[in-house]
Amino acid sequence: MASKAHFTVTIPSIPGHAGGTITCTEPAPQVYLLTLDAPPDNRLTPPFCAALLECLDRVEFGGLSSGSGVLVTTSAMPKFYSNGLDLQLAMSTPGFTENSLYPLFRRFLTFPMPTVALVNGHCFAGGLMLAMHHDYRVFGGGDRGYLAVNELEFGAPLLPPMAGIFREKLSAPVYRTLALEARRFGGKEALAAGIVDALGGWEDGVMKLVDERKLTTKGKMGVYGMLKEEMYRGQIALLDARGEAVVKAPVLMEAEKRRKKEGVLRVKAKM
């Protein structure tokens, strides 16, 4: 059956990022596919987050679905599902996490129909966080691509709303391996660890999962999103936090510098 084309949302360019598009198609009845195409690696910039939020609104409120259906995201680029944040841009953009990133995570976490991330390439850091806020993950990269939380390698702390999703959905040993070893998980390892739910491409991965679990019918009673709101209330509270409750990376880094300085002074005082 031919895929139906529904709409395309433009991702505006900004300095350092060329922008791109997100296209919505319907490859199977009530299966809505958002294809992310922001070369070279689908970085989660403010325009990218805004465009993806607009796509979610169009699927839910634009007349495509009466509540039933499944939302799938994947990448137009076989090498990357998403390489996560541009760290310098994220840290230099006022309100980026509160106004762009966390609202996107929250929208996926509470979306009123099942969501599936078809991870068809590397999925690192913020990219893996985005995938984890989906209900299901299918690794379609075969022997290509890894999933990793690699903040350890570039010296960035995990903020509570970023870390919370791993505590919600993974075992403590797997979270430890992701965060404190920065291990790169291939598809089979990720499946064994519970990071992904299935391996395969569109037919043998996504559609098999959708059909076996009858996912297109789950949202028809109108409570699917409400059930997720209750299930993930702890993570939602972290994503919704504002003002003094929001812990920012520079604040954490300064606190760590103070801790080390005080430690050195304490030791010197006793020598």
PDB file of all heavy atoms in Angstrom, residues 41-44 48-49 81-87 96 101 104-105 122-134 148-151 154 158 162 165-166:
ATOM      1  N   ASP A  41      22.990  15.606  11.617  1.00  0.00           N
ATOM      2  CA  ASP A  41      22.770  14.618  12.665  1.00  0.00           C
ATOM      3  C   ASP A  41      21.586  14.922  13.585  1.00  0.00           C
ATOM      4  O   ASP A  41      21.555  14.463  14.726  1.00  0.00           O
ATOM      5  CB  ASP A  41      24.040  14.438  13.503  1.00  0.00           C
ATOM      6  CG  ASP A  41      24.615  15.751  14.029  1.00  0.00           C
ATOM      7  OD1 ASP A  41      23.951  16.791  13.860  1.00  0.00           O
ATOM      8  OD2 ASP A  41      25.724  15.729  14.599  1.00  0.00           O
ATOM      9  N   ASN A  42      20.601  15.690  13.100  1.00  0.00           N
ATOM     10  CA  ASN A  42      19.372  15.945  13.871  1.00  0.00           C
ATOM     11  C   ASN A  42      19.654  16.459  15.288  1.00  0.00           C
ATOM     12  O   ASN A  42      19.162  15.928  16.283  1.00  0.00           O
ATOM     13  CB  ASN A  42      18.510  14.674  13.950  1.00  0.00           C
ATOM     14  CG  ASN A  42      17.808  14.355  12.650  1.00  0.00           C
ATOM     15  OD1 ASN A  42      17.485  15.246  11.870  1.00  0.00           O
ATOM     16  ND2 ASN A  42      17.575  13.079  12.403  1.00  0.00           N
ATOM     17  N   ARG A  43      20.422  17.536  15.363  1.00  0.00           N
ATOM     18  CA  ARG A  43      20.694  18.142  16.669  1.00  0.00           C
ATOM     19  C   ARG A  43      19.421  18.778  17.232  1.00  0.00           C
ATOM     20  O   ARG A  43      18.623  19.367  16.493  1.00  0.00           O
ATOM     21  CB  ARG A  43      21.769  19.220  16.539  1.00  0.00           C
ATOM     22  CG  ARG A  43      23.140  18.678  16.180  1.00  0.00           C
ATOM     23  CD  ARG A  43      23.862  18.144  17.389  1.00  0.00           C
ATOM     24  NE  ARG A  43      25.175  17.624  17.034  1.00  0.00           N
ATOM     25  CZ  ARG A  43      26.144  17.389  17.900  1.00  0.00           C
ATOM     26  NH1 ARG A  43      25.941  17.607  19.192  1.00  0.00           N
ATOM     27  NH2 ARG A  43      27.299  16.907  17.503  1.00  0.00           N
ATOM     28  N   LEU A  44      19.261  18.690  18.547  1.00  0.00           N
ATOM     29  CA  LEU A  44      18.063  19.217  19.196  1.00  0.00           C
ATOM     30  C   LEU A  44      18.248  20.702  19.493  1.00  0.00           C
ATOM     31  O   LEU A  44      18.436  21.121  20.636  1.00  0.00           O
ATOM     32  CB  LEU A  44      17.776  18.443  20.476  1.00  0.00           C
ATOM     33  CG  LEU A  44      17.616  16.923  20.317  1.00  0.00           C
ATOM     34  CD1 LEU A  44      17.261  16.292  21.654  1.00  0.00           C
ATOM     35  CD2 LEU A  44      16.577  16.580  19.272  1.00  0.00           C
ATOM     36  N   PHE A  48      14.571  23.067  15.944  1.00  0.00           N
ATOM     37  CA  PHE A  48      14.228  21.655  15.771  1.00  0.00           C
ATOM     38  C   PHE A  48      13.140  21.252  16.762  1.00  0.00           C
ATOM     39  O   PHE A  48      12.146  20.615  16.393  1.00  0.00           O
ATOM     40  CB  PHE A  48      15.479  20.798  15.973  1.00  0.00           C
ATOM     41  CG  PHE A  48      15.274  19.327  15.757  1.00  0.00           C
ATOM     42  CD1 PHE A  48      15.634  18.736  14.556  1.00  0.00           C
ATOM     43  CD2 PHE A  48      14.727  18.515  16.750  1.00  0.00           C
ATOM     44  CE1 PHE A  48      15.458  17.369  14.355  1.00  0.00           C
ATOM     45  CE2 PHE A  48      14.537  17.169  16.556  1.00  0.00           C
ATOM     46  CZ  PHE A  48      14.908  16.584  15.356  1.00  0.00           C
ATOM     47  N   CYS A  49      13.319  21.620  18.037  1.00  0.00           N
ATOM     48  CA  CYS A  49      12.322  21.276  19.060  1.00  0.00           C
ATOM     49  C   CYS A  49      10.967  21.892  18.733  1.00  0.00           C
ATOM     50  O   CYS A  49       9.923  21.243  18.865  1.00  0.00           O
ATOM     51  CB  CYS A  49      12.805  21.737  20.423  1.00  0.00           C
ATOM     52  SG  CYS A  49      14.276  20.867  21.045  1.00  0.00           S
ATOM     53  N   TYR A  81      20.165   8.820  14.234  1.00  0.00           N
ATOM     54  CA  TYR A  81      18.804   9.160  14.652  1.00  0.00           C
ATOM     55  C   TYR A  81      18.846  10.577  15.219  1.00  0.00           C
ATOM     56  O   TYR A  81      18.150  11.467  14.759  1.00  0.00           O
ATOM     57  CB  TYR A  81      18.298   8.159  15.688  1.00  0.00           C
ATOM     58  CG  TYR A  81      16.948   8.522  16.264  1.00  0.00           C
ATOM     59  CD1 TYR A  81      15.777   8.236  15.578  1.00  0.00           C
ATOM     60  CD2 TYR A  81      16.849   9.144  17.500  1.00  0.00           C
ATOM     61  CE1 TYR A  81      14.539   8.575  16.106  1.00  0.00           C
ATOM     62  CE2 TYR A  81      15.618   9.488  18.040  1.00  0.00           C
ATOM     63  CZ  TYR A  81      14.463   9.199  17.337  1.00  0.00           C
ATOM     64  OH  TYR A  81      13.245   9.557  17.858  1.00  0.00           O
ATOM     65  N   SER A  82      19.702  10.793  16.217  1.00  0.00           N
ATOM     66  CA  SER A  82      19.979  12.144  16.707  1.00  0.00           C
ATOM     67  C   SER A  82      21.268  12.127  17.509  1.00  0.00           C
ATOM     68  O   SER A  82      21.492  11.217  18.313  1.00  0.00           O
ATOM     69  CB  SER A  82      18.842  12.676  17.579  1.00  0.00           C
ATOM     70  OG  SER A  82      19.210  13.911  18.158  1.00  0.00           O
ATOM     71  N   ASN A  83      22.076  13.148  17.303  1.00  0.00           N
ATOM     72  CA  ASN A  83      23.330  13.302  18.033  1.00  0.00           C
ATOM     73  C   ASN A  83      23.149  14.194  19.258  1.00  0.00           C
ATOM     74  O   ASN A  83      24.131  14.650  19.850  1.00  0.00           O
ATOM     75  CB  ASN A  83      24.407  13.863  17.105  1.00  0.00           C
ATOM     76  CG  ASN A  83      25.812  13.525  17.569  1.00  0.00           C
ATOM     77  OD1 ASN A  83      26.004  12.717  18.467  1.00  0.00           O
ATOM     78  ND2 ASN A  83      26.799  14.146  16.975  1.00  0.00           N
ATOM     79  N   GLY A  84      21.904  14.480  19.628  1.00  0.00           N
ATOM     80  CA  GLY A  84      21.635  15.199  20.858  1.00  0.00           C
ATOM     81  C   GLY A  84      21.762  16.703  20.736  1.00  0.00           C
ATOM     82  O   GLY A  84      21.480  17.289  19.694  1.00  0.00           O
ATOM     83  N   LEU A  85      22.185  17.346  21.808  1.00  0.00           N
ATOM     84  CA  LEU A  85      22.262  18.799  21.859  1.00  0.00           C
ATOM     85  C   LEU A  85      23.530  19.322  21.197  1.00  0.00           C
ATOM     86  O   LEU A  85      24.534  18.618  21.123  1.00  0.00           O
ATOM     87  CB  LEU A  85      22.255  19.284  23.317  1.00  0.00           C
ATOM     88  CG  LEU A  85      21.168  18.789  24.256  1.00  0.00           C
ATOM     89  CD1 LEU A  85      21.330  19.451  25.615  1.00  0.00           C
ATOM     90  CD2 LEU A  85      19.795  19.044  23.695  1.00  0.00           C
ATOM     91  N   ASP A  86      23.477  20.563  20.758  1.00  0.00           N
ATOM     92  CA  ASP A  86      24.673  21.365  20.545  1.00  0.00           C
ATOM     93  C   ASP A  86      24.929  22.018  21.893  1.00  0.00           C
ATOM     94  O   ASP A  86      24.239  22.964  22.273  1.00  0.00           O
ATOM     95  CB  ASP A  86      24.423  22.404  19.451  1.00  0.00           C
ATOM     96  CG  ASP A  86      25.596  23.354  19.246  1.00  0.00           C
ATOM     97  OD1 ASP A  86      26.365  23.590  20.203  1.00  0.00           O
ATOM     98  OD2 ASP A  86      25.744  23.890  18.136  1.00  0.00           O
ATOM     99  N   LEU A  87      25.905  21.502  22.641  1.00  0.00           N
ATOM    100  CA  LEU A  87      26.060  21.900  24.039  1.00  0.00           C
ATOM    101  C   LEU A  87      26.309  23.397  24.183  1.00  0.00           C
ATOM    102  O   LEU A  87      25.719  24.053  25.056  1.00  0.00           O
ATOM    103  CB  LEU A  87      27.200  21.109  24.681  1.00  0.00           C
ATOM    104  CG  LEU A  87      27.375  21.296  26.188  1.00  0.00           C
ATOM    105  CD1 LEU A  87      26.118  20.886  26.938  1.00  0.00           C
ATOM    106  CD2 LEU A  87      28.575  20.500  26.686  1.00  0.00           C
ATOM    107  N   PHE A  96      16.700  27.599  27.207  1.00  0.00           N
ATOM    108  CA  PHE A  96      16.611  26.521  26.221  1.00  0.00           C
ATOM    109  C   PHE A  96      15.955  25.274  26.802  1.00  0.00           C
ATOM    110  O   PHE A  96      15.037  24.701  26.203  1.00  0.00           O
ATOM    111  CB  PHE A  96      17.991  26.170  25.668  1.00  0.00           C
ATOM    112  CG  PHE A  96      18.007  24.885  24.879  1.00  0.00           C
ATOM    113  CD1 PHE A  96      17.391  24.810  23.635  1.00  0.00           C
ATOM    114  CD2 PHE A  96      18.602  23.737  25.394  1.00  0.00           C
ATOM    115  CE1 PHE A  96      17.381  23.618  22.922  1.00  0.00           C
ATOM    116  CE2 PHE A  96      18.600  22.552  24.694  1.00  0.00           C
ATOM    117  CZ  PHE A  96      17.989  22.494  23.448  1.00  0.00           C
ATOM    118  N   LEU A 101      13.554  22.217  25.178  1.00  0.00           N
ATOM    119  CA  LEU A 101      13.865  20.795  25.312  1.00  0.00           C
ATOM    120  C   LEU A 101      12.871  20.056  26.205  1.00  0.00           C
ATOM    121  O   LEU A 101      12.301  19.034  25.798  1.00  0.00           O
ATOM    122  CB  LEU A 101      15.282  20.632  25.869  1.00  0.00           C
ATOM    123  CG  LEU A 101      15.814  19.199  25.876  1.00  0.00           C
ATOM    124  CD1 LEU A 101      15.995  18.699  24.441  1.00  0.00           C
ATOM    125  CD2 LEU A 101      17.130  19.121  26.649  1.00  0.00           C
ATOM    126  N   LEU A 104       9.375  19.491  24.861  1.00  0.00           N
ATOM    127  CA  LEU A 104       9.353  18.436  23.848  1.00  0.00           C
ATOM    128  C   LEU A 104       9.350  17.062  24.513  1.00  0.00           C
ATOM    129  O   LEU A 104       8.559  16.180  24.137  1.00  0.00           O
ATOM    130  CB  LEU A 104      10.567  18.577  22.926  1.00  0.00           C
ATOM    131  CG  LEU A 104      10.676  17.530  21.812  1.00  0.00           C
ATOM    132  CD1 LEU A 104       9.506  17.636  20.843  1.00  0.00           C
ATOM    133  CD2 LEU A 104      12.003  17.661  21.081  1.00  0.00           C
ATOM    134  N   PHE A 105      10.228  16.865  25.493  1.00  0.00           N
ATOM    135  CA  PHE A 105      10.250  15.592  26.207  1.00  0.00           C
ATOM    136  C   PHE A 105       8.893  15.310  26.846  1.00  0.00           C
ATOM    137  O   PHE A 105       8.374  14.191  26.784  1.00  0.00           O
ATOM    138  CB  PHE A 105      11.321  15.619  27.298  1.00  0.00           C
ATOM    139  CG  PHE A 105      12.744  15.571  26.799  1.00  0.00           C
ATOM    140  CD1 PHE A 105      13.795  15.807  27.679  1.00  0.00           C
ATOM    141  CD2 PHE A 105      13.049  15.294  25.483  1.00  0.00           C
ATOM    142  CE1 PHE A 105      15.114  15.759  27.247  1.00  0.00           C
ATOM    143  CE2 PHE A 105      14.360  15.248  25.034  1.00  0.00           C
ATOM    144  CZ  PHE A 105      15.398  15.486  25.924  1.00  0.00           C
ATOM    145  N   HIS A 122      23.096   6.180  14.967  1.00  0.00           N
ATOM    146  CA  HIS A 122      23.596   6.586  16.279  1.00  0.00           C
ATOM    147  C   HIS A 122      22.541   7.408  17.027  1.00  0.00           C
ATOM    148  O   HIS A 122      21.847   8.248  16.442  1.00  0.00           O
ATOM    149  CB  HIS A 122      24.850   7.447  16.131  1.00  0.00           C
ATOM    150  CG  HIS A 122      26.030   6.714  15.570  1.00  0.00           C
ATOM    151  ND1 HIS A 122      26.445   5.483  16.022  1.00  0.00           N
ATOM    152  CD2 HIS A 122      26.908   7.064  14.584  1.00  0.00           C
ATOM    153  CE1 HIS A 122      27.512   5.092  15.347  1.00  0.00           C
ATOM    154  NE2 HIS A 122      27.804   6.029  14.471  1.00  0.00           N
ATOM    155  N   CYS A 123      22.453   7.181  18.331  1.00  0.00           N
ATOM    156  CA  CYS A 123      21.478   7.876  19.171  1.00  0.00           C
ATOM    157  C   CYS A 123      22.182   8.209  20.475  1.00  0.00           C
ATOM    158  O   CYS A 123      22.307   7.359  21.363  1.00  0.00           O
ATOM    159  CB  CYS A 123      20.283   6.962  19.401  1.00  0.00           C
ATOM    160  SG  CYS A 123      18.886   7.732  20.239  1.00  0.00           S
ATOM    161  N   PHE A 124      22.696   9.434  20.565  1.00  0.00           N
ATOM    162  CA  PHE A 124      23.578   9.801  21.658  1.00  0.00           C
ATOM    163  C   PHE A 124      22.955  10.875  22.551  1.00  0.00           C
ATOM    164  O   PHE A 124      22.278  11.789  22.076  1.00  0.00           O
ATOM    165  CB  PHE A 124      24.910  10.327  21.131  1.00  0.00           C
ATOM    166  CG  PHE A 124      25.741   9.306  20.399  1.00  0.00           C
ATOM    167  CD1 PHE A 124      26.535   9.680  19.334  1.00  0.00           C
ATOM    168  CD2 PHE A 124      25.744   7.980  20.779  1.00  0.00           C
ATOM    169  CE1 PHE A 124      27.310   8.749  18.654  1.00  0.00           C
ATOM    170  CE2 PHE A 124      26.520   7.032  20.116  1.00  0.00           C
ATOM    171  CZ  PHE A 124      27.306   7.424  19.048  1.00  0.00           C
ATOM    172  N   ALA A 125      23.241  10.790  23.850  1.00  0.00           N
ATOM    173  CA  ALA A 125      22.959  11.843  24.827  1.00  0.00           C
ATOM    174  C   ALA A 125      21.507  12.318  24.711  1.00  0.00           C
ATOM    175  O   ALA A 125      20.578  11.562  24.932  1.00  0.00           O
ATOM    176  CB  ALA A 125      23.965  12.977  24.667  1.00  0.00           C
ATOM    177  N   GLY A 126      21.299  13.609  24.352  1.00  0.00           N
ATOM    178  CA  GLY A 126      19.950  14.142  24.246  1.00  0.00           C
ATOM    179  C   GLY A 126      19.096  13.399  23.238  1.00  0.00           C
ATOM    180  O   GLY A 126      17.871  13.337  23.371  1.00  0.00           O
ATOM    181  N   GLY A 127      19.730  12.827  22.203  1.00  0.00           N
ATOM    182  CA  GLY A 127      18.980  12.020  21.242  1.00  0.00           C
ATOM    183  C   GLY A 127      18.397  10.783  21.882  1.00  0.00           C
ATOM    184  O   GLY A 127      17.249  10.400  21.613  1.00  0.00           O
ATOM    185  N   LEU A 128      19.186  10.136  22.759  1.00  0.00           N
ATOM    186  CA  LEU A 128      18.678   8.965  23.462  1.00  0.00           C
ATOM    187  C   LEU A 128      17.616   9.369  24.477  1.00  0.00           C
ATOM    188  O   LEU A 128      16.637   8.648  24.683  1.00  0.00           O
ATOM    189  CB  LEU A 128      19.820   8.217  24.148  1.00  0.00           C
ATOM    190  CG  LEU A 128      19.429   6.923  24.872  1.00  0.00           C
ATOM    191  CD1 LEU A 128      18.678   5.968  23.956  1.00  0.00           C
ATOM    192  CD2 LEU A 128      20.662   6.242  25.461  1.00  0.00           C
ATOM    193  N   MET A 129      17.786  10.550  25.091  1.00  0.00           N
ATOM    194  CA  MET A 129      16.737  11.033  26.005  1.00  0.00           C
ATOM    195  C   MET A 129      15.414  11.209  25.261  1.00  0.00           C
ATOM    196  O   MET A 129      14.348  10.843  25.758  1.00  0.00           O
ATOM    197  CB  MET A 129      17.164  12.357  26.643  1.00  0.00           C
ATOM    198  CG  MET A 129      18.358  12.249  27.562  1.00  0.00           C
ATOM    199  SD  MET A 129      18.998  13.884  27.999  1.00  0.00           S
ATOM    200  CE  MET A 129      20.674  13.468  28.482  1.00  0.00           C
ATOM    201  N   LEU A 130      15.485  11.786  24.058  1.00  0.00           N
ATOM    202  CA  LEU A 130      14.275  11.947  23.251  1.00  0.00           C
ATOM    203  C   LEU A 130      13.647  10.579  22.963  1.00  0.00           C
ATOM    204  O   LEU A 130      12.431  10.395  23.122  1.00  0.00           O
ATOM    205  CB  LEU A 130      14.603  12.667  21.950  1.00  0.00           C
ATOM    206  CG  LEU A 130      13.451  12.808  20.955  1.00  0.00           C
ATOM    207  CD1 LEU A 130      12.316  13.643  21.530  1.00  0.00           C
ATOM    208  CD2 LEU A 130      13.946  13.412  19.634  1.00  0.00           C
ATOM    209  N   ALA A 131      14.458   9.618  22.547  1.00  0.00           N
ATOM    210  CA  ALA A 131      13.936   8.283  22.257  1.00  0.00           C
ATOM    211  C   ALA A 131      13.340   7.635  23.501  1.00  0.00           C
ATOM    212  O   ALA A 131      12.309   6.951  23.424  1.00  0.00           O
ATOM    213  CB  ALA A 131      15.042   7.404  21.677  1.00  0.00           C
ATOM    214  N   MET A 132      13.948   7.861  24.663  1.00  0.00           N
ATOM    215  CA  MET A 132      13.447   7.263  25.900  1.00  0.00           C
ATOM    216  C   MET A 132      12.112   7.853  26.319  1.00  0.00           C
ATOM    217  O   MET A 132      11.339   7.207  27.036  1.00  0.00           O
ATOM    218  CB  MET A 132      14.466   7.447  27.021  1.00  0.00           C
ATOM    219  CG  MET A 132      15.748   6.651  26.861  1.00  0.00           C
ATOM    220  SD  MET A 132      15.544   4.857  26.768  1.00  0.00           S
ATOM    221  CE  MET A 132      14.795   4.492  28.356  1.00  0.00           C
ATOM    222  N   HIS A 133      11.807   9.070  25.891  1.00  0.00           N
ATOM    223  CA  HIS A 133      10.506   9.663  26.214  1.00  0.00           C
ATOM    224  C   HIS A 133       9.395   9.146  25.300  1.00  0.00           C
ATOM    225  O   HIS A 133       8.226   9.485  25.514  1.00  0.00           O
ATOM    226  CB  HIS A 133      10.586  11.197  26.170  1.00  0.00           C
ATOM    227  CG  HIS A 133      11.221  11.790  27.393  1.00  0.00           C
ATOM    228  ND1 HIS A 133      12.577  11.934  27.517  1.00  0.00           N
ATOM    229  CD2 HIS A 133      10.685  12.246  28.561  1.00  0.00           C
ATOM    230  CE1 HIS A 133      12.854  12.474  28.707  1.00  0.00           C
ATOM    231  NE2 HIS A 133      11.727  12.671  29.355  1.00  0.00           N
ATOM    232  N   HIS A 134       9.742   8.349  24.286  1.00  0.00           N
ATOM    233  CA  HIS A 134       8.747   7.597  23.529  1.00  0.00           C
ATOM    234  C   HIS A 134       8.316   6.386  24.367  1.00  0.00           C
ATOM    235  O   HIS A 134       9.015   5.952  25.282  1.00  0.00           O
ATOM    236  CB  HIS A 134       9.339   7.087  22.214  1.00  0.00           C
ATOM    237  CG  HIS A 134       9.615   8.142  21.184  1.00  0.00           C
ATOM    238  ND1 HIS A 134      10.461   9.210  21.398  1.00  0.00           N
ATOM    239  CD2 HIS A 134       9.181   8.259  19.899  1.00  0.00           C
ATOM    240  CE1 HIS A 134      10.530   9.954  20.304  1.00  0.00           C
ATOM    241  NE2 HIS A 134       9.747   9.405  19.384  1.00  0.00           N
ATOM    242  N   ALA A 148      24.008   5.698  23.398  1.00  0.00           N
ATOM    243  CA  ALA A 148      24.913   6.023  24.500  1.00  0.00           C
ATOM    244  C   ALA A 148      24.500   7.307  25.190  1.00  0.00           C
ATOM    245  O   ALA A 148      23.909   8.201  24.581  1.00  0.00           O
ATOM    246  CB  ALA A 148      26.348   6.163  23.981  1.00  0.00           C
ATOM    247  N   VAL A 149      24.822   7.375  26.485  1.00  0.00           N
ATOM    248  CA  VAL A 149      24.758   8.614  27.250  1.00  0.00           C
ATOM    249  C   VAL A 149      26.218   8.989  27.505  1.00  0.00           C
ATOM    250  O   VAL A 149      26.847   8.477  28.437  1.00  0.00           O
ATOM    251  CB  VAL A 149      23.993   8.418  28.581  1.00  0.00           C
ATOM    252  CG1 VAL A 149      23.995   9.708  29.391  1.00  0.00           C
ATOM    253  CG2 VAL A 149      22.568   7.979  28.304  1.00  0.00           C
ATOM    254  N   ASN A 150      26.761   9.838  26.657  1.00  0.00           N
ATOM    255  CA  ASN A 150      28.208  10.079  26.657  1.00  0.00           C
ATOM    256  C   ASN A 150      28.614  11.406  27.281  1.00  0.00           C
ATOM    257  O   ASN A 150      29.680  11.940  26.980  1.00  0.00           O
ATOM    258  CB  ASN A 150      28.762   9.977  25.235  1.00  0.00           C
ATOM    259  CG  ASN A 150      28.082  10.905  24.253  1.00  0.00           C
ATOM    260  OD1 ASN A 150      26.959  11.337  24.473  1.00  0.00           O
ATOM    261  ND2 ASN A 150      28.754  11.208  23.155  1.00  0.00           N
ATOM    262  N   GLU A 151      27.790  11.946  28.182  1.00  0.00           N
ATOM    263  CA  GLU A 151      28.158  13.183  28.868  1.00  0.00           C
ATOM    264  C   GLU A 151      29.484  13.060  29.602  1.00  0.00           C
ATOM    265  O   GLU A 151      30.237  14.030  29.721  1.00  0.00           O
ATOM    266  CB  GLU A 151      27.048  13.591  29.844  1.00  0.00           C
ATOM    267  CG  GLU A 151      25.917  14.391  29.231  1.00  0.00           C
ATOM    268  CD  GLU A 151      24.959  13.565  28.400  1.00  0.00           C
ATOM    269  OE1 GLU A 151      25.138  12.327  28.310  1.00  0.00           O
ATOM    270  OE2 GLU A 151      24.016  14.138  27.828  1.00  0.00           O
ATOM    271  N   PHE A 154      32.437  14.206  27.410  1.00  0.00           N
ATOM    272  CA  PHE A 154      32.669  15.620  27.093  1.00  0.00           C
ATOM    273  C   PHE A 154      32.442  16.532  28.296  1.00  0.00           C
ATOM    274  O   PHE A 154      32.354  17.744  28.165  1.00  0.00           O
ATOM    275  CB  PHE A 154      31.848  16.077  25.880  1.00  0.00           C
ATOM    276  CG  PHE A 154      30.370  15.856  25.951  1.00  0.00           C
ATOM    277  CD1 PHE A 154      29.534  16.767  26.574  1.00  0.00           C
ATOM    278  CD2 PHE A 154      29.811  14.739  25.364  1.00  0.00           C
ATOM    279  CE1 PHE A 154      28.164  16.566  26.620  1.00  0.00           C
ATOM    280  CE2 PHE A 154      28.436  14.526  25.400  1.00  0.00           C
ATOM    281  CZ  PHE A 154      27.615  15.443  26.040  1.00  0.00           C
ATOM    282  N   LEU A 158      24.571  15.473  34.080  1.00  0.00           N
ATOM    283  CA  LEU A 158      23.186  15.170  33.720  1.00  0.00           C
ATOM    284  C   LEU A 158      22.276  15.947  34.653  1.00  0.00           C
ATOM    285  O   LEU A 158      22.343  15.776  35.870  1.00  0.00           O
ATOM    286  CB  LEU A 158      22.910  13.676  33.847  1.00  0.00           C
ATOM    287  CG  LEU A 158      23.390  12.763  32.723  1.00  0.00           C
ATOM    288  CD1 LEU A 158      23.171  11.310  33.110  1.00  0.00           C
ATOM    289  CD2 LEU A 158      22.680  13.075  31.420  1.00  0.00           C
ATOM    290  N   MET A 162      16.865  15.373  32.767  1.00  0.00           N
ATOM    291  CA  MET A 162      17.494  14.540  31.739  1.00  0.00           C
ATOM    292  C   MET A 162      17.738  13.134  32.269  1.00  0.00           C
ATOM    293  O   MET A 162      17.523  12.144  31.571  1.00  0.00           O
ATOM    294  CB  MET A 162      18.812  15.164  31.298  1.00  0.00           C
ATOM    295  CG  MET A 162      18.682  16.521  30.658  1.00  0.00           C
ATOM    296  SD  MET A 162      20.328  17.195  30.273  1.00  0.00           S
ATOM    297  CE  MET A 162      19.869  18.745  29.457  1.00  0.00           C
ATOM    298  N   ILE A 165      14.435  10.205  33.233  1.00  0.00           N
ATOM    299  CA  ILE A 165      13.796   9.242  32.339  1.00  0.00           C
ATOM    300  C   ILE A 165      14.504   7.899  32.364  1.00  0.00           C
ATOM    301  O   ILE A 165      13.880   6.845  32.221  1.00  0.00           O
ATOM    302  CB  ILE A 165      13.691   9.795  30.896  1.00  0.00           C
ATOM    303  CG1 ILE A 165      12.714   8.967  30.073  1.00  0.00           C
ATOM    304  CG2 ILE A 165      15.072   9.882  30.240  1.00  0.00           C
ATOM    305  CD1 ILE A 165      11.280   9.012  30.572  1.00  0.00           C
ATOM    306  N   PHE A 166      15.827   7.916  32.590  1.00  0.00           N
ATOM    307  CA  PHE A 166      16.567   6.653  32.675  1.00  0.00           C
ATOM    308  C   PHE A 166      16.242   5.922  33.973  1.00  0.00           C
ATOM    309  O   PHE A 166      16.147   4.690  33.994  1.00  0.00           O
ATOM    310  CB  PHE A 166      18.066   6.919  32.552  1.00  0.00           C
ATOM    311  CG  PHE A 166      18.463   7.554  31.246  1.00  0.00           C
ATOM    312  CD1 PHE A 166      18.925   8.853  31.204  1.00  0.00           C
ATOM    313  CD2 PHE A 166      18.341   6.853  30.058  1.00  0.00           C
ATOM    314  CE1 PHE A 166      19.276   9.447  30.004  1.00  0.00           C
ATOM    315  CE2 PHE A 166      18.686   7.430  28.847  1.00  0.00           C
ATOM    316  CZ  PHE A 166      19.153   8.736  28.814  1.00  0.00           C
TER     317      PHE A 166
END
